[in-house]
Amino acid sequence: MESLLQSLLGDNLLTVVLYCALPLVFLLLYALLAILGEVKISAWMQDRLGPMRTGPWGIIQPIADVFKLLQKEDITPAKADKFLFNLAPFLSFMSAYAAFAVIPFSSQYVGADLNLGLFYLLAISSLNVAAIIMAGWASNNKYSLYGSMRAVAQIVSYEVPAAMVLVIIVMFVGSLNLQDITTAQSGPFWNWMVFGGPKQDVVLASGEVLSASWVNLIFLPFFLASFLMYYIAGLAETNRTPFDIPEAESELVSGYHTEYSGMKFAMFFMSEYANMFLVSAVVAVLFFGGWNSPFGVYLGDAFDAPWLVAVEQFGWLAFKGLFFVFVMIWVRWTLPRLRVDQLMYMSWKVLIPFSFGIALVVGFLVVIL
Amino acid sequence: MPKSMNEIFDYLNSLFPEAALQFDEAVPCVIVPAALIKEVALQARDDQELLFDTLMCLSGVDNADETLGAVYHLDSMTHRHKLTLKVIVPATAPHIPSVDRVWRIAEWHEREAFDLIGVIFDGNSDLRRILLPEDWEGHPLRKDYEVPEFYNGMKVPY
Amino acid sequence: MTESMEVLKAGIASGRLKTDELVLNMGPQHPSTHGVLRLELVLDGEIVVKVIPQMGYLHRCFEKHAENMTYPQVVPYTDRMDYLAGMNNNHGYVLAVERLMGIELPERVEYIRIIMAELQRIASHLVAIGTFGMDIGAFTPFLYCFRDREYILDIFERTCGARLLYNYMWVGGLSHDIYDGFLRDVADFIKKFRPTVVEVNNLLNYNKIFIERTANVGVLPADVAVSYGCSGPMLRGSGVDWDLRRDDPYSIYDRFDWKVITGDGSAGTLGDCWDRHMVRVWEMEESCKIIEQALESFPAEGDIASAIPKRIRPAKGEIYTRVENPRGELGYYLIADGSANPFRLKVRGPSFVNLSVIDEISRGHLIADLVAILGSIDIVLGEVDR
């Protein structure tokens, strides 16, 4: 992909910027789709129609929403800490977007093919915490402060089980590179991690050979549990129901973004949606084969068109990611919200011990097999 | 055993012989001197014959004859009988002992009567205005109440 | 540095680090105060130390208005108190005037009133259940409840032209007779409505998270409930078997066979938020039973206006009448002085009385629990402030 751009535009700054901006284009389109999905899916679940006035079946509602947000007055409370108040939404979105650098969208495109991809992912997505506490503190509003304190406690708590699950996968694959993890799962869907990992030998991009066999089926229950734990932790990290305690509408009005309006609110909104896709994409990459086709074959191979393969791979990742975003929306409109102490209980007394236990067992199995 | 209001009056009269309780046949209700209302209320709640465990309603009333009153509607869930107590005090010194320790709900009812009628319940732990703003002047449900023209510089529209 | 270390050591020695208390104003504009209630919360971290309710933002001088209106003119004002249960409010008021005047009502009027009052009770409970779910964070059951409430409001609209503020029950009668097909519509509604209870039970009431959030929260012991004068689902949730429809019968409730629902503490402690909530859920079923029986023995003939007096001017006297509103005991203390206007009309609103207990039962809980407690009390600010 990079070489394609270089051949088209030459080796200059524009190429690099374009290369970096590609996920942003995707993200903006995805955000529109997700907003529409949220309103429409919730409407169908709740036995109503949802927006119907803007375009056929209201499909241009998200664009109208964006215009509404653009037109809104940008209010900074008089007693807010202006610098931090203005910085927080951008930092929040930045941390969400920067994490997309290591997501392999296809075998041809990954923003930064880092060897420490998962480390980078953990580190950069934690920046969101700083943005949230900045927003809560700078707003000079008690609800915001409560919301941000809850958010920080929650995100920091759930980072631990999430990181532990990542360790499990890393132990199995032997690489922190997300592209490698995806390659390890190539072939038909039973090679996906959630089904116990690859059943045949795989050559990684780095030249290593990952030997595997049907014995790997023994990993299935552990990886299935890890997948569920990671998804739950991911729900908590993105502050989605049933873990939407930091912005619990009925308690804290709107949590840390109570005082935000207009585009700054939209930035927080965008970062929430970006984080939703990020978590979904990581779930897809770690457990559901990333950009791998579930059938192990691509239409592009039949026509001998590598560009079609890349597009298909991107399509599969987007499909898997969007499916998990859909599940998040589904969960949101079904379940009530937990309480602060129950949330902490869930993380420290359930998820963390279980994830450590699974890590131990998987570690043993990897060594033995 | 449920008792009629008459029987309850006779019983209360025997407990408080010097209190000069009166019985108003027309309503019917027992008229209690202001100073004794708390004792009568306690007796009515705790006496095994009466057991008035619920204060259904406490209303302040302006009787339009220079007197204010408080009306206590009592109910016994155990014996299933009811009692109405009335206290009448002069409008110039409308002091009634509070019964908010007898029935906890009395606190808010008394605040409301204080707010709207102006009866002062001595001993109420939190006698503030409850429905009207704290700096409102006068007690609107008095018969001689006149709507002020201005409140905090704002015209009071009516 | 050393000083703060001293404080830290002292805090650890006392077993508890003392922090400053924070005063948080919840409301009057807040999503879960169910209107314009303001709660002054004194908080220690997330823990509620004290709750001071501040009411009056919706005070519309109902009692003052009533003194300046004729008796029939007061009826529309009663609708506006508990605007979710207009029929029940009408019922209580007209009952007070009728008792004062000694009016005997035609059978048909009584039956229509009972059906209307019970439909209204279902509608009101549906709102209570839905909004309680929303307070806990579940949005979807709210809309299922409102969907079914619409059917009831449609029936009301076809009967009296209004969906919320009916002015339907008049002293001695009703404003309109029922329309053709009313009985069929009501029977249809009950058939459609029963599955909703199952649906909401599955989606919300027996959801593990919901039970975790509401069981053992805001426990109201029976003696405290009685002392605070709590009534309705609030009192029954604490296990007190008390319903004015049965224990102080009015209208024709004594003719029907139904049972009073009380909380049993099956999810946690007796008298917790879940009990109060479930009392409402099962009470809707009992209301359905009453309506079904009323439909069976509904008098085919009758004049709804025959008992409406030409001149409503009760003789000197006073009366305290109470009816079972969806929220509890709605009392009207009416003093008549022989003129065309009430001399004094005091309303004992169940929301007002039930709300007074909030400080007692929410101390030591978390903010999230306070929201649950407030939702389970089910207040309507129109009635608290009158």
Side-chain angles (χ1 to χ4, degrees), chain B residues 12-51:
Chain B
L12 277 177
N13 224 356
S14 67
L15 291 171
F16 296 93
E18 74 286 5
L21 301 178
Q22 291 167 4
F23 190 66
D24 188 344
E25 286 286 348
V27 177
C29 69
V30 177
I31 299 174
V32 182
L36 276 173
I37 182 64
K38 196 167 178 183
E39 284 73 22
V40 173
L42 260 176
Q43 190 69 37
R45 187 193 70 179
D46 293 338
D47 193 302
Q48 285 303 314
E49 295 285 306
L50 303 174
L51 282 179

Side-chain angles (χ1 to χ4, degrees), chain C residues 207-258:
Chain C
N207 181 311
K208 178 73 177 157
I209 299 178
F210 182 77
I211 292 178
E212 286 288 321
R213 281 294 309 277
T214 53
N216 296 323
V217 168
V219 177
L220 175 65
D223 55 334
V224 177
V226 171
S227 181
Y228 271 97
C230 296
S231 49
M234 197 71 181
L235 183 66
R236 291 193 283 278
S238 296
V240 181
D241 192 6
W242 183 259
D243 190 316
L244 295 177
R245 287 173 290 172
R246 184 196 66 194
D247 296 308
D248 193 2
Y250 56 96
S251 199
I252 50 167
Y253 276 111
D254 45 359
R255 294 187 198 175
F256 303 117
D257 173 36
W258 55 285

Side-chain angles (χ1 to χ4, degrees), chain A residues 91-100 102 117-132 155-156 159 162-163 166 230 237-238 271 274-275 278-279 282:
Chain A
L91 189 63
S92 174
F93 182 68
M94 190 211 83
S95 74
Y97 182 59
F100 277 84
V102 291
L118 280 173
F119 262 147
Y120 171 83
L121 192 74
L122 278 176
I124 205 82
S125 63
S126 303
L127 253 186
N128 203 13
V129 173
I132 286 171
I155 293 174
V156 170
E159 289 265 295
L166 298 188
Y230 187 79
E237 280 190 72
T238 47
S271 101
N275 268 326
L278 182 69
V279 167
V282 172

Side-chain angles (χ1 to χ4, degrees), chain B residues 31-86:
Chain B
I31 299 174
V32 182
L36 276 173
I37 182 64
K38 196 167 178 183
E39 284 73 22
V40 173
L42 260 176
Q43 190 69 37
R45 187 193 70 179
D46 293 338
D47 193 302
Q48 285 303 314
E49 295 285 306
L50 303 174
L51 282 179
F52 286 106
D53 40 21
T54 319
L55 176 66
M56 292 191 285
C57 188
L58 192 164
S59 329
V61 181
D62 181 355
N63 296 316
D65 56 356
E66 299 295 306
T67 58
L68 304 181
V71 186
Y72 303 75
H73 290 96
L74 311 182
D75 181 28
S76 169
M77 284 184 181
T78 330
H79 292 317
R80 315 227 157 177
H81 52 212
K82 294 178 195 168
L83 173 64
T84 309
L85 300 176
K86 251 189 196 183

Side-chain angles (χ1 to χ4, degrees), chain C residues 74-381:
Chain C
V74 175
V75 178
Y77 283 84
T78 62
D79 282 325
R80 283 150 180 80
M81 286 193 307
D82 185 346
Y83 41 77
L84 294 178
M87 290 287 181
N88 303 74
N89 295 0
N90 287 174
H91 201 182
Y93 173 73
V94 297
L95 208 65
V97 182
E98 283 157 7
R99 281 190 185 163
L100 209 53
M101 295 178 72
I103 296 173
E104 279 292 318
L105 290 175
E107 282 278 284
R108 191 177 169 87
V109 173
E110 293 279 26
Y111 270 93
I112 297 174
R113 280 187 183 180
I114 292 281
I115 293 173
M116 288 302 188
E118 291 309 313
L119 283 176
Q120 181 76 84
R121 190 182 311 279
I122 295 174
S124 171
H125 279 347
L126 281 173
V127 177
I129 290 162
T131 50
F132 185 53
M134 210 152 76
D135 287 340
I136 303 295
F139 197 88
T140 301
F142 171 75
L143 284 144
Y144 288 172
C145 290
F146 265 58
R147 175 192 65 200
D148 280 28
R149 180 169 173 264
E150 281 303 297
Y151 297 133
I152 300 179
L153 297 191
D154 286 344
I155 292 174
F156 287 168
E157 189 180 12
R158 286 196 70 184
T159 313
C160 64
R163 291 170 67 81
L164 201 63
L165 308 165
Y166 312 103
N167 185 17
Y168 182 62
M169 298 185 191
W170 286 359
V171 176
L174 303 164
S175 70
H176 299 76
D177 202 347
I178 54 173
Y179 60 90
D180 294 337
F182 171 85
L183 301 177
R184 194 193 56 233
D185 279 0
V186 174
D188 278 356
F189 163 72
I190 288 183
K191 213 187 293 168
K192 270 188 292 196
F193 169 69
R194 283 207 164 112
T196 300
V197 178
V198 180
E199 200 174 37
V200 174
N201 272 344
N202 289 339
L203 187 60
L204 181 71
N205 300 336
Y206 290 101
N207 181 311
K208 178 73 177 157
I209 299 178
F210 182 77
I211 292 178
E212 286 288 321
R213 281 294 309 277
T214 53
N216 296 323
V217 168
V219 177
L220 175 65
D223 55 334
V224 177
V226 171
S227 181
Y228 271 97
C230 296
S231 49
M234 197 71 181
L235 183 66
R236 291 193 283 278
S238 296
V240 181
D241 192 6
W242 183 259
D243 190 316
L244 295 177
R245 287 173 290 172
R246 184 196 66 194
D247 296 308
D248 193 2
Y250 56 96
S251 199
I252 50 167
Y253 276 111
D254 45 359
R255 294 187 198 175
F256 303 117
D257 173 36
W258 55 285
K259 82 175 193 286
V260 175
I261 304 290
T262 52
D264 53 4
S266 52
T269 320
L270 182 65
D272 54 17
C273 291
W274 194 80
D275 274 346
R276 291 195 275 279
H277 177 76
M278 289 315 281
V279 165
R280 292 196 182 94
V281 172
W282 297 122
E283 251 180 43
M284 296 196 297
E285 171 59 27
E286 298 303 315
S287 292
C288 286
K289 280 191 204 162
I290 297 177
I291 295 170
E292 277 178 335
Q293 292 168 43
L295 290 179
E296 269 168 29
S297 52
F298 192 83
E301 294 296 313
D303 182 5
I304 52 124
S306 64
I308 297 178
K310 293 274 173 297
R311 193 161 150 276
I312 301 176
R313 191 171 279 220
K316 202 166 158 35
E318 57 181 77
I319 191 164
Y320 177 80
T321 311
R322 49 184 187 164
V323 294
E324 184 78 23
N325 184 298
R327 276 156 202 84
E329 174 183 335
L330 175 70
Y332 288 91
Y333 176 49
L334 181 60
I335 306 180
D337 61 350
S339 69
N341 299 351
F343 180 78
R344 170 90 170 91
L345 177 63
K346 149 96 185 180
V347 178
R348 179 245 199 244
S351 301
F352 178 81
V353 173
N354 290 348
L355 181 61
S356 67
V357 82
I358 189 165
D359 181 41
E360 184 85 20
I361 59 175
S362 51
R363 282 186 195 181
H365 283 301
L366 299 169
I367 302 177
D369 293 332
L370 177 78
V371 171
I373 292 169
L374 191 64
S376 75
I377 294 177
D378 183 24
I379 49 168
V380 170
L381 264 295

